[in-house]
Amino acid sequence: MTDMHRLGRLLLAVLFGLAASAAARAAEPKPNIVFIMADDLGFADVGYRGSDIKTPNIDKLAEAGVRMDTFYGEPVCTPSRAALMTGRYPMRYGLQTLVIFPSHTYGLPTDERTLPQALKEAGYTTLMTGKWHLGHADRKYWPQNRGFDYFYGNVMGEVDYFTRDRGGVIDWQRNGTFLKEPGYYMTLIGNDAVRLIGQQDGKQPFFLYFASLAPHAPYQAPQSYKDLYPAIKDRNRQAYAGMISALDDQIGRIVAALQNKHLRDNTLILFASDNGGATSGLFAQGAKSNDERQHEEGGIEQGAKAPASNAPLRGGKGSLYEGGVRVVAFANWPGHLKPGIVTAPLHMVDIMPTLLALAGGTGSADHPMDGRDIWPALTAAAPSPNEDILINVEAFRGAVRKGDWKLVKVALLPGKTELFNLADDPGETTNVADRHPEIAADLEARLSAYAKQQKPSEWIKAQPGFAGAQGHTVFDPDFDIGDGGLPHEKPAPIGR
């Protein structure tokens, strides 16, 4: 038998195995899906990574599930959430740069097919509690108009954890009705998630997107949570730790609610942070404009050190280095996923195609997904299905990974090209571009090819339209923001 015949038989066997696996998955009952998104969680700030922050519920799920230890989000909140919701890189629809500010009127384009839309068409009930951050100024961008049957939470970015205030507007709603209600953010969305799970009868599969605001700035936690960490003397770090414990408690309540309804065995739980933890005050200032009030109410000064740790990775939120984009992530499904660690590079865009393969859903033919089905990597230690991973690309910078190699390119003059071998140098301490020019050239060509496909950044287009760091909060002018308890007065300007 010739080598070509052997190769052909091997390829046929692989294809047959993949087809049989896909057929077996399609024949199984559709799983319930719970996706838990943490916000600005430090790579080192969970218990199973050795942190002094107490996360027993996260640890239990991670250790009994599949840890995705080389999983990438985007540098900041909006792009990462867009990648999750579309399975497509944010540069394809102009959301690659920074986040949607309160004064911005753009959002995730309505021609993008979203994960909840696809799951809903596949027979799922689609539910969301927490932070959206993919468009707020027009109702067409709101979650309940992007595929969710139910939404409870905030549509902008950060808000005050106790009042949900953002620049004079109470950004808190249930299905379009704005609310003023007491309580701590994490407890409220946890209460709602538990209630929603309690309403499920097991006859129709559901998708629950639990989008935590914690531990994003402002660093605010009830005193009882801060009291868990008397040894932490820095008050922002102490509050940050308390916020992570508050998130962990709500995750424990969600798991208990699933068990009480006898739904746990058919529920896939996924957990990921949107980006790395904030290590610079630039990304941790909170929603207040006055520096003194920022310090009192959970924000920090621009030049100060933020409380997160991404050790041993370099950089933090906003950066293209590993600390900004490589995030805590795992999947847990009893009886379907064996405990283990996957080191194959995976990306947030891979979640949507993977879930649709499990659920029997379909994407959009005219908006092809960049992500790939990673189920074989999670169940059979298969290699990453991605030939390369675009970490992000903008007009002025970008990063791409292929295998163990990562290229970071800064296009602003004088410019900089960095190449790292992440297997040997996970901390990205040594630029080896001059030692491996052929690899650097290959990755730069890949990055340039992606760059040529990007749409103009909506953030860059919007910035000249107003003065100030983030400007006035904008909502749909045809929508009376006084309804449901929102203040009628003109919103006050806010800070960064």
Side-chain angles (χ1 to χ4, degrees):
M1 183 182 295
T2 67
D3 289 343
M4 287 299 295
H5 283 103
R6 290 191 185 93
L7 179 60
R9 293 182 66 177
L10 177 60
L11 288 173
L12 285 173
V14 170
L15 290 172
F16 179 80
L18 290 174
S21 175
R25 276 194 275 165
E28 293 180 353
K30 295 180 179 181
N32 306 309
I33 301 164
V34 176
F35 191 99
I36 300 168
M37 179 78 89
D39 199 335
D40 294 7
L41 176 64
F43 190 73
D45 290 329
V46 288
Y48 73 84
R49 291 195 181 281
S51 176
D52 57 348
I53 298 175
K54 302 174 177 67
T55 57
N57 295 300
I58 290 174
D59 299 346
K60 185 176 181 180
L61 288 172
E63 291 164 357
V66 178
R67 287 170 41 184
M68 296 177 277
D69 277 7
T70 313
F71 187 88
Y72 288 92
E74 296 287 334
V76 289
C77 309
T78 293
S80 201
R81 290 157 200 274
L84 171 67
M85 286 292 121
T86 64
R88 287 160 48 83
Y89 292 130
M91 61 90 179
R92 298 207 182 275
Y93 38 84
L95 295 187
Q96 66 269 48
T97 304
L98 288 175
V99 301
I100 299 174
F101 286 171
S103 55
H104 290 160
T105 58
Y106 65 87
L108 178 66
T110 55
D111 63 338
E112 291 290 333
R113 181 174 172 82
T114 66
L115 174 59
Q117 285 174 328
L119 289 175
K120 189 173 181 178
E121 291 181 9
Y124 278 69
T125 298
T126 54
L127 312 164
M128 178 180 173
T129 65
K131 170 184 166 179
W132 179 236
H133 213 181
L134 290 175
H136 63 273
D138 192 308
R139 282 168 288 181
K140 68 184 181 183
Y141 297 129
W142 294 359
Q144 57 269 42
N145 295 318
R146 302 311 302 272
F148 283 103
D149 295 313
Y150 174 91
F151 169 64
Y152 172 72
N154 61 305
V155 288
M156 287 191 282
E158 66 201 50
V159 293
D160 185 284
Y161 280 79
F162 295 100
T163 67
R164 268 67 67 198
D165 176 89
R166 182 67 193 268
V169 169
I170 306 301
D171 179 16
W172 197 243
Q173 63 161 283
R174 178 177 282 110
N175 292 332
T177 299
F178 281 84
L179 309 168
K180 289 183 77 172
E181 58 182 357
Y184 183 60
Y185 186 106
M186 295 308 303
T187 305
L188 292 175
I189 64 170
N191 289 345
D192 218 53
V194 168
R195 180 183 65 82
L196 292 170
I197 293 170
Q199 293 175 349
Q200 307 307 309
D201 59 11
K203 296 178 181 178
Q204 181 179 10
F206 68 89
F207 168 55
L208 171 62
Y209 178 34
F210 184 79
S212 168
L213 180 58
H216 193 293
Y219 302 114
Q220 299 171 327
Q223 190 60 45
S224 60
Y225 279 109
K226 292 188 282 189
D227 288 344
L228 295 173
Y229 301 97
I232 299 178
K233 301 308 178 184
D234 177 86
R235 63 178 175 180
N236 284 316
R237 174 73 179 177
Q238 185 185 60
Y240 170 83
M243 294 161 75
I244 295 173
S245 287
L247 166 61
D248 186 76
D249 277 354
Q250 301 314 315
I251 292 172
R253 295 180 65 206
I254 288 171
V255 173
L258 291 168
Q259 292 169 338
N260 290 339
K261 293 292 292 187
H262 306 289
L263 297 170
R264 180 67 189 96
D265 288 344
N266 195 39
T267 299
L268 167 63
I269 297 177
L270 298 118
F271 177 98
S273 182
D274 53 356
N275 45 256
T279 55
S280 164
L282 179 64
F283 292 103
Q285 293 182 47
K288 305 299 179 183
S289 60
N290 178 276
D291 285 347
E292 183 178 353
R293 291 186 65 199
Q294 285 175 5
H295 190 63
E296 291 175 353
E297 300 185 30
I300 66 176
E301 295 79 5
Q302 183 169 331
K305 184 181 184 302
S309 172
N310 299 308
L313 306 178
R314 176 181 178 181
K317 178 180 180 179
S319 166
L320 291 173
Y321 296 119
E322 294 289 279
V325 292
R326 186 167 161 185
V327 300
V328 176
F330 58 80
N332 181 296
W333 187 6
H336 293 79
L337 292 174
K338 297 179 181 179
I341 299 175
V342 171
T343 57
L346 308 172
H347 193 281
M348 195 72 75
V349 294
D350 295 324
I351 297 298
M352 182 169 172
T354 304
L355 295 183
L356 294 189
L358 288 170
T362 58
S364 172
D366 58 350
H367 290 71
M369 288 182 281
D370 293 297
R372 299 290 182 266
D373 181 359
I374 60 173
W375 197 247
L378 300 183
T379 57
S384 174
N386 302 296
E387 182 180 352
D388 57 39
I389 286 178
L390 175 66
I391 294 171
N392 198 30
V393 66
E394 303 170 71
F396 54 92
R397 66 173 186 170
V400 65
R401 174 168 178 168
K402 180 185 177 185
D404 292 332
W405 295 97
K406 177 181 172 185
L407 182 100
V408 178
K409 176 78 173 181
V410 176
L412 293 173
L413 293 176
K416 180 168 59 173
T417 300
E418 295 177 292
L419 180 70
F420 303 102
N421 185 318
L422 296 178
D424 298 334
D425 182 21
E428 297 171 292
T429 61
T430 306
N431 178 10
V432 294
D434 58 341
R435 301 182 208 169
H436 302 278
E438 71 290 349
I439 295 174
D442 174 53
L443 267 63
E444 186 160 358
R446 290 172 181 270
L447 184 61
S448 295
Y450 280 119
K452 291 175 183 178
Q453 300 172 46
Q454 70 176 315
K455 287 192 175 180
S457 163
E458 294 293 335
W459 189 92
I460 292 175
K461 286 162 58 180
Q463 284 311 99
F466 64 89
Q470 292 195 15
H472 293 284
T473 300
V474 176
F475 271 102
D476 187 333
D478 296 326
F479 186 76
D480 181 1
I481 64 171
D483 291 347
L486 274 177
H488 284 275
E489 63 266 26
K490 185 177 180 181
I494 62 170
R496 292 182 184 271

